[in-house]
Amino acid sequence: MRPTTWAAPPVPGSTPEIQKPAVFWLVLWCLLVLGVQPWSSRAAAPQGTTGSTNSLMKGVLLGAIFLIVLAATRPGFRTRISPVTNLYVIYVLFATATGFLLADPVGPLLRLARLLIGLVLFFLLWRPLIQVPERLLRAHLWAHLLLASTVLLSLWYVPEQAWRPLSSFGTGFRLQGVIIPMLPPRVGEVGALLLGLAIIALVCRKLALIPATALIGAGLMLVALSRTRTAAAAIAFGLILALLLTRKTWVGRLLTFGVPAVVGLVFLAVPSLHAWLLRGQGAKQISSLSGRTTSWQAVLDEEVSLQTAIIGHGLGNKRVLLRRGEGDIDVMAIDNSWLGLYWETGLLAVTIVGIAMIVAWVSVLRAPTPYVKACGALLLGYVSAASLNESGLSDLSSMTLHLLVAAAVCDADRLRARSRALAAHGGTADPLPLLLPHQDRQPPNPPPR
């Protein structure tokens, strides 16, 4: 699938474009990354619950970002939409149409409106932020650095609330965010992305040694103190794929597999690291992935009608009701993006998002610049691994944002390479060919008879 190009002709009498500074777009992107984080309204909620999400505040923040970006965009702007964003628009349209068939469509429709606003932001931010892929990757790294800073400041500001006890799922404590309320899994995700992007930037010489070392240390600290095994495994998988796709020699590729193998042996051999990995859990809890397999099996065993299998139970319904014995009822989170997609929006939605994931991988493989390809593979590898153990691909979440960013930067990199190739051969170096050409463009000369 080729990226779709939309553009409007210049508006007569409009004022010339005023270039906004790079810091302006960087701040907006940081606010967008902040707005898609699943804030917990009660950071000290009992273990085994996810806490409620402050949807109103996140909705206000996302709406404010949208209005600011819209006001900062001049009329007649030129943009692109990546194939993955197109597929998510199709998903939104499908889920909106089926949402009216639900008994209570208000909640799912509000979530879909929020996702649609996020997709439109990618449409508006093409020219100032996405067209140069390194600019968006730098903004994504800075956004995770700011989130990591708020978590680390929580240790100094309110240390008594920054540690979450592991009562029913192990022993010990896990680091959580307090200044910006984030549960330990989200803290681990922020640290893992900061760690991975900093390592790629250091290897590709986009960051100097001292700042890269500081970012890597901060990311490792968040992953270690939050004790998030999913984030650690997902970022390791993403780093392996990123280095494997960009190493040109067999020695480099062998080292890509050798280093993780050595790290795995160290985790099994060193008692403190082994204790971190087990988190005080028994064999039963480890084998059931902290109880996740119980909810997964309940989703697969649930008998549903054909309509429910196609349209799901409604976006936002991420929990399954478990019945154990007579009158013993428990509610558990599904914690699997693909089963969650099926449960919330049905089989057709799973198919659409699955195609979007495949198309995103194709975009990553076709990216010509090693740094952009490595970052795209890192983000997409993280999403591919974490989606098996976490939910988030059904609405505007941090996981969906990583997927869209990976696809957008790799598509932009390929278009930039095509533009440079045209310029090298004496063609017109226009990275944004228009569907609606400007009126001052002359039609091509007819071929000679």
Side-chain angles (χ1 to χ4, degrees), residues 418-449:
R418 183 194 304 172
S419 173
R420 290 174 177 173
L422 288 174
H425 289 82
T428 302
D430 186 3
L432 297 171
L434 300 180
L435 290 181
L436 298 175
H438 292 305
Q439 296 177 359
D440 56 355
R441 291 196 175 187
Q442 298 297 327
N445 296 326
R449 295 182 180 272

Side-chain angles (χ1 to χ4, degrees), residues 279-294:
R279 228 162 56 188
Q281 295 180 338
K284 184 177 179 181
Q285 290 178 317
I286 293 291
S287 61
S288 66
L289 300 177
S290 301
R292 287 180 173 90
T293 56
T294 305

